[in-house]
């Protein structure tokens, strides 16, 4: 967050950095591209042959008004359900495939004395859960339609997302707001909770920090109702206008987009390459499975992590969540979300 | 003699000039600029928010109207209510703890110097440090909640910083009513004291205005609707955690103020009161507390403006996104610098400035007046 404040100071002060890291998509487009501060990278994509190397769904998210505005370095997946395979066997349940199934499983587990079948953490992880619920309830097409303004946030379909979200919250721990996302993941690993919905950096945490083996110490599935859809977020670098070392900055972007660059960075970071031709032998079991989905699944963008929502919407989504949590009124939350969408100019 | 003939005056003016210019630019110019920004639409159109030469339109008091009556600004209204309660409890807590400690030290117990240092020490820490330490201690499974287990009780479960419970709830729509009633109460009190002191005319004016306000409150006032829907606000129990940390930090300072006051009361006065047969309780009630009143006022002003502007302590304890412990200063930060809603952020800043001015300006006026008199 503070890095973003520094970035704003430097950009407004006429001293733009040669390149900077930003979530791919609207976080860059809605703030800096619309303000005419970035260079179009379509030429670079053509000369490097990237147009065929990155999936089309990704390039669509990076594009605005006929230009492509940043080079994605990595890909993380937002809609993943994590569990502890040994514990699920013990309880005799399987990872749910839809939200209805999830709620049924939740009731079963509660009957077995598990207080909170779903482990949840601080504020942003609640928003993160919301986007998985929304994707599951709406489906990929309607989710994307929300961000082009074709589907309103107060449409009955979108109001239903809040209804389901409320029921899902009833399955979660009551002390959520005091936990970091790692502490929420720990609850699943230790068997206090059955499920956790978190981006796939959780896999990196469980393999590297907790030394668990993917598939044995922890298991994963697409979050309920989202099989076949890959909700992505990505760190990317752009090219601001008016920089001093343009050639070097372009060379930097070339390295970032290259197969060698991506395969050197991502196994260490615990993410997959944005390119579809990466050398999978360098990645662990979880990442290989994610890379497989990345090539075959439908690609949509994350709200919380800046792919589909501009900062002006993302920054105020917390307010919408507040309105919901205070009154548990789906309609009020949906109306507030639409009001913020209007203000942020979504669909304009 | 003319002012300009005196060399001293010239030197004085010259010496003061740099700071006058700097303050004029970096304080008053920027206040004016913020005030103007709050009357524009800067940030409403994302393509203009951060562009090199943004096109900014003047829209009058739209932003303020939105903050108080807009659909999505409920968080701001809750923050205002939170600030009100926080200020109230923070001042009350600091004053009572500070006064208690000062009265304890005033009796010159053994090791007074040590205690004084211990009580005053928290003030030397920055709010960020205090916040970080208390954040750890107030974790749901952290120190404070584990205390009962030391004596064999089950550990506490209260979410010190995250509880969503609210007490003293009221509907935002009844705010004008409450305000009218409170102002009427004050006016009645003014009337009463004026009457007692024989200011017949002032008493009648105050009485008439109070009556008018009450009449308005119960006829037209109850039909004023700020919002088209009911919106409950109240005191978030999550603020208890913040209050503990804030009072822990600032009560030592209040103690120092009171201690200086207590030491300034001449021993003869106490002796005289005792000789007149006053009990210890009467001594405090009739002699000492009235003499401490100016100190209480100063302490209230200092604590009041700290609590209205509080940002760093809560930022360190709960972050900027934890809505149950949100205050306007944090909302300003999120609105202006994260969501790029610069004009709305400026409006929140201006409201904060006005709130602080309500406290500071009367104080400064009375201080300056008494200095001139001296």
């Amino acid at each position: 967050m503070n890095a973003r404040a520094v970035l704003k100071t430097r950009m407004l002060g006429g001293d733009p950095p040669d390149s900077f890291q930003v979530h791919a998509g609207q976080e860059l487009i809605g703030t800096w591209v619309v303000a005419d501060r970035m260079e179009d990278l379509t030429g670079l994509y053509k000369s490097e042959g990237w147009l065929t190397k990155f999936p089309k769904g990704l390039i669509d998210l990076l594009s605005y008004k006929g230009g492509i505005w940043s080079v994605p370095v990595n890909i993380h997946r937002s809609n993943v359900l994590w569990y502890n395979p040994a514990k699920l066997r013990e309880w005799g349940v399987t990872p749910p495939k839809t939200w209805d199934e999830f709620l049924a499983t939740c009731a079963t587990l509660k009957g077995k004395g598990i207080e909170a079948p779903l482990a949840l953490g601080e504020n942003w992880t609640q928003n993160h859960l919301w986007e998985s619920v929304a994707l599951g309830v709406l489906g990929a097409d309607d989710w994307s339609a929300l961000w082009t303004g074709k589907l309103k946030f107060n449409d009955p379909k979108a109001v239903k997302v809040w209804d389901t979200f409320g029921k899902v919250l009833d399955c979660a721990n009551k002390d959520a707001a005091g936990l970091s996302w790692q502490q929420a993941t720990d609850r699943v690993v230790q068997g206090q909770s059955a499920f956790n919905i978190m981006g796939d950096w959780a896999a990196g945490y469980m393999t590297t920090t907790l030394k668990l083996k993917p598939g044995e110490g922890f298991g994963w599935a697409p979050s309920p109702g989202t099989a076949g859809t890959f909700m992505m977020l990505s760190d990317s670098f752009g090219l601001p206008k008016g920089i001093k070392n343009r050639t070097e900055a372009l060379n930097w972007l070339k390295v970032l987009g290259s197969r060698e660059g991506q395969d050197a960075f991502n196994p260490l970071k615990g993410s997959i390459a944005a390119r579809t031709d990466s050398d999978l032998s360098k990645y662990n079991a979880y990442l290989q499975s994610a890379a497989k989905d990345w090539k075959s699944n439908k690609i949509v963008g994350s709200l919380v992590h800046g792919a589909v929502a501009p900062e002006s919407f993302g920054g105020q989504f917390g307010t919408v969540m507040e309105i919901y949590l205070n009154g548990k009124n789906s309609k009020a939350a949906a109306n507030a979300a639409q009001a913020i969408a209007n203000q942020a100019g979504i669909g304009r | 003699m003319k002012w300009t003939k005196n060399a001293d005056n010239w030197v004085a003016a010259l010496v003061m000039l740099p700071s006058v210019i700097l303050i004029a630019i970096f304080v008053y110019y920027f206040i004016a600029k913020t005030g103007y920004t709050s009357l524009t639409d800067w940030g409403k159109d994302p393509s203009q928010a951060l562009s090199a030469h943004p096109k900014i339109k003047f829209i009058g008091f739209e932003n303020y109207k939105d903050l108080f009556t807009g659909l999505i600004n409920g968080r701001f209204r809750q923050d205002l209510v939170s600030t009100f309660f926080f200020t109230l409890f923070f001042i009350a807590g600091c004053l009572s703890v500070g006064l208690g400690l000062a009265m304890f030290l005033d009796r010159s117990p053994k090791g007074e110097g040590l205690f004084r240092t211990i009580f005053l020490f928290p003030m030397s820490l920055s709010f960020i440090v205090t916040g970080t330490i208390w954040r750890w201690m107030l974790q749901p499974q952290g120190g404070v909640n584990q205390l009962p287990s030391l004596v064999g009780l089950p550990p506490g479960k209260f979410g010190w910083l995250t509880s969503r419970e609210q007490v003293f709830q009221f509907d935002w729509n009844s705010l004008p009513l409450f305000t009218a009633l409170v102002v009427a109460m004050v006016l009645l009190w003014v009337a009463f004291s004026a009457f007692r002191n024989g200011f017949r005319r002032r008493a009648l004016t105050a009485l008439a205005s109070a009556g008018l306000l009450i009449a308005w409150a119960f006829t037209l006032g109850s039909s004023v609707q700020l919002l088209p829907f009911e919106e409950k606000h109240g005191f978030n129990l999550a603020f208890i955690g913040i209050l503990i940390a804030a009072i822990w930090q600032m009560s030592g300072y209040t103690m120092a103020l009171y201690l200086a006051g207590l030491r300034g009361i001449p021993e003869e006065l106490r002796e005289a009161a005792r000789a007149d047969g006053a009990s210890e309780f009467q001594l405090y009630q009739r002699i000492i507390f009235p003499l401490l009143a100016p100190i209480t006022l100063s302490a209230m002003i200092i604590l009041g403006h700290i609590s209205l502007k509080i940002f760093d302590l809560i930022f360190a304890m709960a972050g900027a996104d934890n809505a149950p412990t949100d205050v306007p200063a944090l909302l300003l930060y999120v609105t202006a610098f994260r969501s790029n809603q610069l004009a709305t952020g400026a409006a929140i800043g201006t409201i904060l400035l006005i709130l602080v001015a309500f406290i500071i300006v009367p104080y400064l006026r009375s201080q300056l007046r008494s200095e001139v008199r001296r």
Side-chain angles (χ1 to χ4, degrees), chain B residues 13 31 68 75 81 93 134 143 153 158 197 214 229 242 271 273 293 299 327 341 344 361:
Chain B
I31 289 179
F68 284 98
R75 183 164 164 188
V81 174
W134 278 99
L153 297 169
F158 186 64
N197 295 330
I214 292 175
F229 45 88
I242 309 278
E271 293 295 329
V327 288
Q341 300 287 330
T344 311
V361 171

Side-chain angles (χ1 to χ4, degrees), chain A residues 1 55 69 252 284 328 341:
Chain A
M1 266 315 153
W69 302 96
W252 162 244
N284 72 24
K328 293 279 158 83

Side-chain angles (χ1 to χ4, degrees), chain B residues 130-146:
Chain B
T130 313
T132 310
I133 297 169
W134 278 99
R135 176 193 194 131
W136 292 336
M137 293 203 279
L138 295 174
Q139 285 289 311
Q141 287 156 339
V144 173
N145 273 351
Q146 296 296 338

Side-chain angles (χ1 to χ4, degrees), chain A residues 245-259:
Chain A
N245 310 304
R246 192 167 176 280
T247 323
E248 285 79 358
L250 274 171
N251 286 337
W252 162 244
L253 293 179
K254 279 177 195 163
V255 173
L256 293 180
S258 70
R259 185 170 166 218

Side-chain angles (χ1 to χ4, degrees), chain A residues 1 8 31 34-35 37 123 177-178 187 311-312 315 319 322 325-326 336 339-340 343-344 348, chain B residues 44 46-47 50-52 71-72 75 139 141 162 164 321-323 333-334 337-341:
Chain A
M1 266 315 153
K8 276 173 195 168
T31 302
V34 293
R37 297 287 191 135
N123 304 65
R187 295 227 170 152
E311 280 183 313
S312 47
T319 306
E322 245 352 87
L325 292 177
N326 280 338
I340 289 172
Q343 203 181 58
R348 185 155 55 199
Chain B
K44 287 238 156 67
S47 64
L50 296 175
S51 70
L71 171 68
I72 52 176
R75 183 164 164 188
Q139 285 289 311
Q141 287 156 339
T162 53
R164 289 196 160 271
D321 298 305
N322 189 35
Y333 171 76
V334 173
F337 303 119
R338 241 190 240 171
S339 308
N340 305 329
Q341 300 287 330

